[in-house]
Amino acid sequence: LTGVIILVLFTSSGCSAGPGKYDGLAQCLSANGAVMYGTAWCSHCQNQKATFGKSFQYVTFVDCDKNANECLRAGVEGYPTWIVNGTKYAGEQNMYALAKNSGCLGNLTTN
């Protein structure tokens, strides 16, 4: 029983997770105002999230099903849409393009 409690505490504290591959880039994107707009059901959005892996937790993401007005105000017409430095980028974006367009090239290193 003690072993199970220790395992649960260790796992729930996040100690076993470690850093994500693109934590630095994702944090820089958000710090520089980049936003990804999408939905939970969008397969391309899921692909984009998968590219980031667990680093996606640091990406500023707006779910357009839950925040339809915000997406309308941003002029989102399809998913995913990234808005980076006032420019809209439709569809899945590669990491280099996101880093370059957001001024985060120095954060493209992976862990």
Side-chain angles (χ1 to χ4, degrees):
L1 181 59
T2 303
V4 172
I5 292 171
I6 291 171
L7 179 62
V8 168
L9 290 174
F10 183 75
T11 304
S12 66
S13 69
C15 294
S16 63
K21 184 175 180 182
Y22 294 107
D23 285 357
L25 175 60
Q27 291 168 343
C28 183
L29 288 169
S30 290
N32 288 357
V35 179
M36 180 183 148
Y37 296 85
T39 66
W41 51 263
C42 163
S43 62
H44 294 288
C45 299
Q46 296 307 317
N47 292 342
Q48 187 77 83
K49 289 179 180 183
T51 301
F52 277 93
K54 58 186 163 181
S55 299
F56 192 77
Q57 67 182 316
Y58 299 112
V59 172
T60 301
F61 174 71
V62 176
D63 185 325
C64 292
D65 283 336
K66 296 178 182 176
N67 302 288
N69 287 335
E70 187 173 347
C71 295
L72 287 172
R73 281 192 302 273
V76 173
E77 297 174 356
Y79 311 121
T81 294
W82 285 88
I83 297 184
V84 181
N85 290 326
T87 301
K88 280 191 273 184
Y89 299 93
E92 296 175 45
Q93 302 298 307
N94 68 56
M95 296 304 200
Y96 178 80
L98 286 171
K100 180 181 175 204
N101 295 331
S102 64
C104 294
L105 272 176
N107 298 86
L108 189 55
T109 59
T110 58
N111 294 336

